[in-house]
């Protein structure tokens, strides 16, 4: 039988393999949250203090509401495309952050086999280290894209506003017989 000390040593060695991908996933998810906050600051600066205190899903819903009602189809579609990419990352982040890592050891001595899995407590799902590494890689890529999108969004919105103002001004400058 394996001693508690032997199991703890094996468990720590296994857990250490998970630290980097889980950490990368959590950090990328935090960047996604920040980027959504930046988008909200541009879209509804007057409401930003209210929305910052809300859950992430409520902030995402607010961005979606604004984009559906106040933006051109092009910018609204761009925001929707970003959400389609980052929403699964956030779901994976929540599954990993809120469910424990189970470690089991089978056998004795050098023949010991260690198994580690995160079991989702509400869904019939399990995640192994390979899954987490893929989640982390995807999260980092999506986060980088969303950060760039959020950084460029104010300019895209301003360009859209400028075009709308030019069109509106042109319509008002027409002679009555041209309308």
């Amino acid at each position: 039988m394996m001693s508690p000390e032997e199991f703890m040593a094996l468990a720590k060695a296994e857990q250490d393999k998970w630290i980097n991908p889980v950490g990368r996933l959590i950090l990328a998810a935090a960047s996604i949250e920040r980027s959504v906050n930046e988008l909200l600051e541009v879209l509804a600066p007057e409401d930003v203090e209210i929305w910052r205190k809300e859950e992430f899903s409520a902030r995402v819903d607010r961005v979606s509401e604004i984009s559906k009602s106040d933006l051109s189809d092009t910018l609204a579609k761009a925001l929707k495309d970003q959400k389609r990419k980052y929403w699964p990352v956030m779901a994976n982040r929540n599954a990993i952050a809120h469910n424990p890592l189970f470690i089991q050891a089978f056998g004795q001595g050098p023949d010991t086999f260690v198994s580690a899995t995160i079991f989702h407590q509400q869904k019939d799902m399990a995640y192994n280290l390979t899954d987490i590494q893929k989640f982390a890689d995807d999260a980092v890529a999506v986060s980088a894209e969303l950060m760039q999108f959020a950084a460029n969004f104010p300019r895209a919105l301003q360009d859209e506003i400028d075009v709308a103002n030019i069109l509106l001004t042109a319509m008002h400058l027409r002679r009555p017989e041209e309308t």
Side-chain angles (χ1 to χ4, degrees):
M1 175 148 200
M2 186 179 304
S3 73
E5 293 79 20
E6 290 172 314
F7 176 78
M8 290 306 291
L10 287 172
K12 180 174 179 344
E14 186 63 28
Q15 187 178 34
D16 286 349
K17 296 175 190 176
W18 292 67
I19 290 172
N20 183 283
V22 168
R24 289 175 55 233
L25 174 61
I26 299 301
L27 290 173
S31 293
I32 289 170
E33 285 200 45
R34 178 63 198 144
S35 294
V36 168
N37 288 348
E38 289 173 5
L39 291 170
L40 195 53
E41 287 173 11
V42 171
L43 291 168
E46 66 284 351
D47 296 339
V48 82
E49 289 306 317
I50 296 166
W51 288 102
R52 251 193 210 150
K53 296 172 186 158
E54 295 294 322
E55 288 184 12
F56 179 72
S57 60
R59 287 179 272 151
V60 168
D61 290 345
R62 181 67 179 135
V63 169
S64 294
E65 288 170 12
I66 294 169
S67 65
K68 288 176 188 170
S69 62
D70 297 341
L71 298 179
S72 72
D73 290 345
T74 303
L75 277 184
K77 182 183 180 314
L79 280 167
K80 186 176 182 180
D81 288 345
Q82 288 297 317
K83 180 181 178 183
R84 182 183 48 77
K85 294 174 189 173
Y86 69 71
W87 198 251
V89 169
M90 300 309 284
N92 290 335
R93 175 255 177 229
N94 287 344
I96 302 315
H98 297 288
N99 291 286
L101 176 64
F102 289 98
I103 299 174
Q104 296 177 315
F106 306 95
Q108 289 275 335
D111 296 328
T112 302
F113 171 74
V114 177
S115 170
T117 308
I118 293 177
F119 290 104
H120 200 296
Q121 296 180 67
Q122 282 81 37
K123 298 179 182 177
D124 190 21
M125 298 178 76
Y127 308 100
N128 62 31
L129 184 56
T130 303
D131 295 330
I132 305 307
Q133 289 167 330
K134 180 170 180 355
F135 292 165
D137 292 343
D138 292 348
V140 168
V142 168
S143 169
E145 183 180 332
L146 183 59
M147 282 191 298
Q148 183 176 6
F149 178 84
N152 293 323
F153 186 79
R155 182 70 198 146
L157 182 60
Q158 188 58 52
D159 289 347
E160 183 172 282
I161 292 168
D162 291 346
V163 167
N165 286 336
I166 289 169
L167 291 173
L168 191 60
T169 302
M171 287 173 50
H172 287 299
L173 293 177
R174 287 186 179 158
R175 287 179 269 178
E177 64 272 6
E178 292 179 331
T179 56

